[in-house]
């Protein structure tokens, strides 16, 4: 089976968050289980690894924007073929910009003809998030079967219909309310949802949540229909357990059991000049989605019982709020993303806070548990599916008070060293490997290939 993944980022070549991590781990595991796997992503200017150019030229692709001087690069690693599509729109430092709908429509239009030029014929396309949604629609027109994965429904790739429709290269009938049209805009997330044979999300709970008005981001009606048709499911993300292994982690003092965490805790305490109170760690994008405003609101109470170490960047208002707290003797804020420091926080903290308003899956809570650091999480999305009651501390309300109460429960439990150690040992024993999810995806691909393409109600020409 030849599986072709299409995504806007893939670790270690490009990464801004969990999407890149998934694309770095899932394809490699699929290759280990016998699939022939190709990953296609943009050839960003920042990619530092040596990529070999294998094709260059103009591509004949539908749409109003010509695709001239397209480059295709290749790198094979871990049994996976990585293809990078180079376009002028991506010849700038960084990954994401305000004109991304235009940029990623160009990328999506280039993917299938680029695959043809280098001799890759997919059995199944697996596209990820809105940046690859148009690839699903174009693939359907070419007779390909596709799986579309929603990593975060909040980001949908919307643009005004007048400009955006011409960029896509799709026929006029695709821009009905049943197709890509969404409140007068083109919606590239919706393109993936409508045209895919199967739609997945990155956790079972999130798959249920997005069929409700609270989490559906205006697409809940379509997602309810997909559920009734048997085309929406949730497959929980795994964790790269080789990359996140406390026994071999070069960024910390390696340890194999809870007792071994003590050296990492002492090092983190010394690094930030913290006192003897337990450490509550946070490694996060600073956004309201992640509940970072709730964390800031809870700091007056949290700092009575905890040292709080935060690593992250994002919303300037939240960054400013944390900088104000950085002068507090029990608060340390490191702005930006720093992977070695992230490892030190996961290993050295006692507990780990994730007060997310919604969380499609989340990897940080899995990493924390792998390092024996107990998560304090809001009951939503993948946090429900990964944090057992007997290990972590869960709360329902998206308020600073609810977070404070859960952290108070954790602090009381911390004083019972026998129970805390038992919870931490259980956390370190949990299996978050990619093997189970990978087998689920391979089974889903087989089902997609076993049935003829389903006609799309309300759309002509398919």
């Amino acid at each position: 089976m030849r599986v072709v993944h299409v995504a806007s980022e893939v670790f270690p070549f490009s990464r801004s968050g969990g999407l890149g991590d998934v694309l770095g781990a899932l394809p490699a595991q699929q290759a280990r289980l016998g699939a022939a796997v190709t990953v296609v992503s943009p050839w960003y200017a920042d990619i530092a690894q040596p990529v070999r150019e294998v094709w260059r030229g103009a591509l004949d692709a539908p749409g109003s924007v010509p695709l001239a001087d397209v480059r295709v690069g290749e790198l094979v690693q871990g049994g996976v073929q990585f293809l990078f599509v180079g376009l002028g729109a991506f010849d700038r430092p960084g990954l994401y910009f305000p004109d991304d709908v235009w940029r990623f429509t160009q990328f999506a239009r280039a993917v299938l003809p680029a695959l043809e030029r280098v001799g890759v014929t997919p059995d199944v396309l697996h596209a990820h998030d809105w940046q690859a949604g148009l690839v699903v629609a174009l693939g359907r027109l070419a007779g390909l079967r596709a799986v579309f994965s929603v990593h975060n429904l909040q980001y949908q790739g919307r643009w005004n219909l007048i400009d955006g429709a011409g960029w896509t290269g799709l026929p006029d009938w695709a821009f009905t309310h049943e197709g890509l049209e969404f409140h007068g805009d083109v919606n590239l997330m919706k393109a993936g949802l409508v045209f895919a044979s199967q739609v997945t999300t990155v956790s079972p709970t999130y798959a249920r949540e997005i069929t409700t008005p609270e989490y559906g981001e205006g697409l809940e009606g379509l997602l309810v229909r997909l559920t009734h048709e048997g085309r929406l499911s949730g497959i929980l993300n795994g964790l790269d357990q080789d990359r996140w292994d406390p026994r071999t982690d070069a960024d910390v003092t390696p340890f194999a059991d809870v007792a071994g965490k003590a050296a990492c805790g002492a090092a983190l305490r010394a690094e930030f000049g913290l006192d003897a109170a337990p450490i509550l760690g946070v490694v996060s994008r600073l956004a309201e989605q992640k509940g970072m405003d709730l964390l800031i609101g809870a700091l007056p109470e949290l700092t009575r019982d905890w040292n709080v170490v935060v690593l992250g960047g994002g919303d300037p208002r939240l960054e400013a709020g944390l900088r104000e707290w950085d002068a507090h003797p029990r608060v340390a804020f490191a702005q930006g993303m720093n992977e070695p420091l992230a490892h030190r926080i996961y290993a050295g903290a006692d507990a780990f806070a994730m007060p997310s308003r919604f969380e499609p899956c989340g990897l940080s809570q899995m990493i924390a548990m792998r390092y024996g650091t107990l998560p304090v999480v809001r009951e939503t999305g993948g946090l429900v599916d990964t944090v057992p009651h007997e290990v972590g501390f869960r709360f329902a309300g998206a308020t600073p008070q609810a977070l404070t109460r859960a952290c108070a429960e954790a602090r009381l439990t911390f004083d019972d060293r026998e129970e805390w150690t038992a919870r931490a040992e259980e956390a370190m024993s949990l299996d978050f490997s990619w093997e189970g999810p990978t087998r689920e995806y391979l089974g889903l691909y087989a089902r997609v290939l076993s049935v003829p393409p389903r006609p799309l109600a309300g759309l002509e020409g398919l």
Side-chain angles (χ1 to χ4, degrees), residues 31-384:
R32 283 194 286 270
L33 293 181
V37 186
T38 298
V39 179
V40 185
S41 68
W43 197 340
Y44 294 106
D46 290 343
I47 291 178
Q49 291 82 352
V51 177
R52 180 174 65 96
E53 184 176 297
V54 294
W55 187 85
R56 180 192 287 259
L59 290 176
D60 183 15
S64 60
V65 181
L67 295 179
D69 194 27
V70 180
R71 298 178 300 138
V72 180
E74 180 188 49
L75 190 153
V76 178
Q77 182 173 291
V80 177
Q81 178 191 42
F82 294 94
L83 295 177
F84 303 92
V85 177
L87 297 155
F90 293 88
D91 289 341
R92 61 177 84 160
L95 300 187
Y96 300 121
F97 295 90
D99 61 346
D100 275 348
V101 172
W102 172 70
R103 296 168 76 227
F104 283 102
T105 53
Q106 291 192 68
F107 168 71
R109 289 168 53 230
V111 167
L112 297 181
L115 288 171
E116 183 180 358
R117 294 299 187 279
V118 299
V120 174
T121 303
D123 293 311
V124 176
L125 277 174
H126 189 163
H128 300 263
D129 262 353
W130 74 262
Q131 295 92 343
L134 179 58
V135 181
V136 176
L138 295 171
R140 182 65 179 272
L141 293 178
L144 295 173
R145 317 286 178 85
V147 171
F148 181 63
S149 285
V150 177
H151 295 256
N152 190 331
L153 191 65
Q154 187 175 58
Y155 304 102
Q156 298 182 3
R158 293 176 59 179
W159 202 262
N160 75 78
L161 199 61
I162 295 173
D163 293 329
W167 296 343
T168 67
L170 293 173
D172 291 344
W173 53 258
F175 298 97
T176 66
H177 178 67
E178 295 296 323
L180 276 68
E181 190 276 334
F182 186 74
H183 300 289
D185 288 344
V186 170
N187 185 322
L188 298 181
M189 175 70 79
K190 194 179 177 192
L193 298 175
V194 169
F195 284 87
S197 299
Q198 287 286 325
V199 175
T200 70
T201 68
V202 290
S203 72
T205 296
Y206 190 58
R208 294 189 294 271
E209 287 177 339
I210 61 176
T211 62
T212 68
E214 183 179 1
Y215 295 98
E217 302 291 345
L219 292 169
E220 59 272 10
L222 170 59
L223 292 160
V224 167
R225 192 178 81 204
L226 294 181
T227 301
H228 290 161
E229 293 172 353
R231 293 201 294 130
L232 174 63
S233 60
I235 298 177
L236 188 66
N237 279 344
L239 179 68
D240 185 341
Q241 296 193 147
D242 293 328
R243 178 180 167 201
W244 299 103
D245 187 345
R247 299 167 300 178
T248 59
D249 193 331
D251 290 313
V252 304
T253 301
F255 59 96
D257 55 28
V258 176
K261 279 178 62 70
C264 296
L268 188 64
R269 204 176 301 280
E271 181 174 357
F272 290 104
L274 304 174
D275 65 21
I279 300 173
L280 181 69
V282 178
V283 178
S284 178
R285 181 164 51 88
L286 300 184
E288 289 193 359
Q289 177 218 322
K290 297 292 186 178
M292 290 299 103
D293 57 318
L294 308 182
L295 176 77
I296 293 172
L299 283 174
E301 293 296 324
L302 294 181
T303 49
R304 296 177 187 270
D305 295 320
W306 299 90
N307 290 296
V308 182
V309 178
V310 181
L311 169 64
D315 188 325
R317 295 171 301 171
L318 296 173
E319 290 180 352
L322 286 166
R323 277 196 299 271
E324 290 181 8
W325 273 96
D326 193 38
H328 191 285
R330 282 190 169 177
V331 177
F333 171 51
Q335 185 175 339
M337 293 310 296
N338 178 327
E339 181 146 333
L341 177 55
H343 284 243
R344 297 197 297 275
I345 293 172
Y346 286 122
D350 299 289
F352 190 88
M354 289 185 71
S356 305
R357 284 185 167 81
F358 69 93
E359 192 64 64
C361 179
L363 296 178
S364 291
Q365 78 279 11
M366 300 186 208
I367 298 169
M369 288 186 283
R370 185 132 168 87
Y371 285 72
T373 302
L374 301 189
V376 181
V377 302
R378 186 163 174 268
E379 289 186 320
T380 185
L383 301 177
V384 172

